[in-house]
Amino acid sequence: MNKLRRTHVVWSFETSCLTDALIRTIDPNKVDAIRIVSKHGEIDRVREICRRIKREVPMAKEKLPLLVDLYDRVRGMVVGLEGSKEFKFGDIIKVSPEKGQGDLTIRTEEWPDLFAVDHSVYLANGMVVCKTKEVKKDHVVLEVVQGGVLHNDCDVVVPATKKQIRIDTVPEDAWKAASDPDIDYLILPSIEDAADLEKVKKRLEAQPNSPWLLLKVATKGTLKNLEELLPFVHGVVISRVELAMRMDPALVPMVTKEVIQKCNDYAKMSIVASEMLGSMRHNVTPTRAEVSDIANAVFDGADAVVLSEELAYGKFAEKGVALAVKTIEDAESSTTQGLNWVKKHPEITTEIEAVTFAAYRAAYRNQAKGIVCITKAGNTALHLSSYGVQTPIIAVTMSPDVVRRLRLVRGVVGILLDEAPDIEQVFPIINSLMTRKTWLSDGDRYVFVSVSLSSLGKEASNLFTVQQIQ
């Protein structure tokens, strides 16, 4: 086995574009995870797609994690466009919920409360930006302040009128995704109240199959309360495009870096999303800005980047995935550019922090070829990854689900162990496993870590040692 990329690529699909032919192009050796983006009421279709991917795509069940959004209702959508339509700065647009009654037709359940006078309206994730001039019973008048091109079925977003998301408003039908064994990660909407996340955690603890939780960061409220929210989830998905609609867009790059750093402080995953290679829906090459976004995510220490769902609609989807992988490999091979943010002086308050930080430093001082940890639920691997260590982390676990989910954690490769070893047999078994399933070979040093792992003995034990494969 060769060393893996530390930063991973998530290929995003909308349910409407996932044809049989597209499913057959999914290759777990070329992409690290799949995200399914759905519309309201499509959860049964999403679950069926997940089942098909796990059963029909070779090696998907073993190594391809699937991410699904719990619930993220689209408030408005442009409909009835035939082809594309361009709008320029200063254009006046009459918008109506009835076809043929205006320049644009919008489907929404919130008419006319979706709009507010003098507030911004973002069409197609900000491709066209307008100001609301008038709100009438049967139409709304918008003025274009940023021109662009619109396509059918694009979203309509008005941040000023969007209410705070509460977990009690999520339809019961959507929770089917939270108990589906084929779903590895559940992406929660941008919840702002820790009490809501506590309810989700308790709900999932009461069921046999529980996916790992990711919290979307898309509002100022979520950003403000992030420290209170992180203990309830495994990580976050940073929606840069939604943040840019709610704050000065110039602040979003720095906010992204700060969120990644905060996740490292709490040993949580950070995944950067929005508009990654979206231009390749129509073009064979991406923009310079899109390539820079991917490279910057690597340097910022993100666990993964999410490619735009727009990419899957075009002819160059597979080329886009390959380009994202190459961009990451080139960035990670740089000898002059290190991580922008590193947890250099972490606050050590728990046993797992003490043991994993000592292991991280020992790996550097001993020039170890790997850090090997035994983990039941993946927490030890998450803590080791949070230090930004360049040494590859090999997480040995008895859970196939944990092996698959760890594929999205920065710098970690999961290895399945058939049964838990006794403490007396652990090193011979681990040495054999390393030589058979990893790049380690005779004479290589590695740091071994286990934290409060009762499977190594009758009582919980913390173990940290430097070993050499013989």
Side-chain angles (χ1 to χ4, degrees):
M1 176 187 291
N2 297 321
K3 295 181 182 179
L4 303 183
R5 280 174 287 106
R6 295 191 298 277
T7 313
H8 306 291
V9 175
V10 181
W11 195 359
S12 215
F13 298 92
E14 290 184 345
T15 52
S16 57
C17 78
L18 259 175
T19 62
D20 291 347
L22 194 53
I23 289 177
R24 286 194 293 269
T25 67
I26 297 173
D27 185 349
N29 295 313
K30 296 180 180 179
V31 67
D32 303 306
I34 298 294
R35 179 187 182 185
I36 310 296
V37 180
S38 64
K39 296 182 175 66
H40 176 47
E42 289 189 332
I43 190 59
D44 288 334
R45 173 161 166 73
V46 170
R47 295 173 67 204
E48 177 58 30
I49 289 172
C50 290
R51 277 193 290 272
R52 287 194 59 192
I53 291 175
K54 286 290 178 71
R55 286 153 182 75
E56 297 177 18
V57 175
M59 297 302 295
K61 192 169 183 62
E62 290 76 18
K63 60 190 298 186
L64 188 67
L66 302 182
L67 293 72
V68 170
D69 292 76
L70 172 65
Y71 177 68
D72 198 7
R73 183 172 65 87
V74 175
R75 300 177 66 209
M77 180 180 295
V78 174
V79 296
L81 279 184
E82 296 182 2
S84 60
K85 189 169 185 177
E86 184 177 5
F87 293 93
K88 298 179 180 179
F89 174 79
D91 284 350
I92 301 298
I93 307 174
K94 181 181 178 182
V95 176
S96 172
E98 300 294 333
K99 187 175 181 179
Q101 300 301 308
D103 304 303
L104 282 181
T105 305
I106 291 181
R107 181 191 299 144
T108 177
E109 297 176 0
E110 301 182 34
W111 186 276
D113 298 331
L114 175 64
F115 301 94
V117 173
D118 291 333
H119 284 283
S120 296
V121 178
Y122 296 87
L123 306 174
N125 286 332
M127 292 298 295
V128 175
V129 183
C130 304
K131 284 286 187 182
T132 305
K133 307 299 291 183
E134 297 179 22
V135 178
K136 302 293 185 181
K137 185 176 181 180
D138 60 345
H139 73 275
V140 169
V141 177
L142 308 177
E143 181 181 4
V144 177
V145 297
Q146 176 184 305
V149 177
L150 297 182
H151 298 273
N152 202 41
D153 292 339
C154 63
D155 293 352
V156 179
V157 178
V158 187
T161 62
K162 187 170 184 177
K163 298 178 181 178
Q164 178 182 338
I165 297 174
R166 303 306 301 256
I167 206 65
D168 292 338
T169 65
V170 175
E172 190 64 28
D173 188 59
W175 288 104
K176 294 178 182 178
S179 59
D180 194 312
D182 291 317
I183 295 173
D184 297 290
Y185 287 92
L186 194 64
I187 303 174
L188 302 175
S190 196
I191 294 169
E192 302 176 6
D193 190 342
D196 276 346
L197 285 185
E198 188 173 11
K199 291 178 183 177
V200 176
K201 188 174 181 180
K202 288 181 178 179
R203 178 173 186 142
L204 266 60
E205 286 175 347
Q207 61 189 37
N209 296 305
S210 295
W212 285 11
L213 293 178
L214 298 173
L215 175 65
K216 183 184 286 188
V217 178
T219 68
K220 290 182 179 179
T222 303
L223 281 174
K224 179 182 178 182
N225 300 327
L226 193 58
E227 289 193 47
E228 300 172 15
L229 300 169
L230 282 176
F232 297 99
V233 296
H234 286 82
V236 303
V237 175
I238 306 168
S239 179
R240 299 176 306 152
V241 68
E242 292 184 75
L243 287 172
M245 296 178 194
R246 292 167 172 83
M247 62 173 63
D248 183 349
L251 297 176
V252 173
M254 185 55 65
V255 166
T256 300
K257 297 176 190 294
E258 292 171 351
V259 172
I260 292 171
Q261 174 64 25
K262 186 66 67 177
C263 287
N264 283 334
D265 291 341
Y266 281 81
K268 304 295 182 179
M269 300 168 61
S270 55
I271 299 175
V272 180
S274 304
E275 299 180 316
M276 296 282 191
L277 304 186
S279 69
M280 290 187 71
R281 174 178 180 171
H282 304 287
N283 304 303
V284 70
T285 56
T287 65
R288 290 189 296 274
E290 288 173 323
V291 176
S292 295
D293 282 347
I294 295 173
N296 280 327
V298 174
F299 298 136
D300 291 342
D303 291 84
V305 297
V306 182
L307 304 185
S308 170
E309 52 266 30
E310 293 291 317
L311 178 64
Y313 282 98
K315 297 184 295 183
F316 312 113
E318 291 182 75
K319 184 178 178 64
V321 173
L323 189 145
V325 169
K326 185 179 186 304
T327 302
I328 290 170
E329 290 174 341
D330 290 346
E332 291 183 347
S333 65
S334 171
T335 58
T336 58
Q337 175 68 51
L339 291 179
N340 293 332
W341 301 78
V342 178
K343 191 161 60 173
K344 294 181 178 178
H345 304 290
E347 182 179 354
I348 306 298
T349 59
T350 64
E351 287 184 7
I352 193 170
E353 291 170 346
V355 176
T356 54
F357 183 61
Y360 152 66
R361 297 183 66 182
Y364 175 77
R365 291 173 177 172
N366 288 274
Q367 297 182 325
K369 295 292 183 67
I371 302 175
V372 180
C373 67
I374 293 188
T375 179
K376 282 185 174 179
N379 291 328
T380 305
L382 284 167
H383 276 81
L384 288 167
S385 174
S386 72
Y387 300 114
V389 59
Q390 298 297 305
T391 307
I393 300 162
I394 304 167
V396 179
T397 179
M398 281 65 74
S399 169
D401 292 338
V402 172
V403 169
R404 192 171 55 250
R405 293 167 187 178
L406 284 174
R407 196 176 184 205
L408 268 188
V409 181
R410 185 181 177 95
V412 175
V413 55
I415 301 291
L416 184 65
L417 186 62
D418 294 333
E419 57 181 309
D422 294 330
I423 188 66
E424 295 82 6
Q425 300 295 323
V426 64
F427 293 121
I429 291 174
I430 292 298
N431 285 345
S432 174
L433 195 65
M434 293 302 103
T435 55
R436 286 186 290 111
K437 294 191 175 183
T438 77
W439 56 88
L440 298 180
S441 57
D442 286 352
D444 286 343
R445 287 183 179 179
Y446 67 88
V447 175
F448 178 83
V449 187
S450 76
V451 181
S452 297
L453 187 64
S454 59
S455 61
L456 291 185
K458 293 182 179 179
E459 298 179 355
S461 60
N462 294 329
L463 180 60
F464 149 52
T465 179
V466 178
Q467 292 288 313
Q468 187 171 30
I469 294 181
Q470 297 177 346

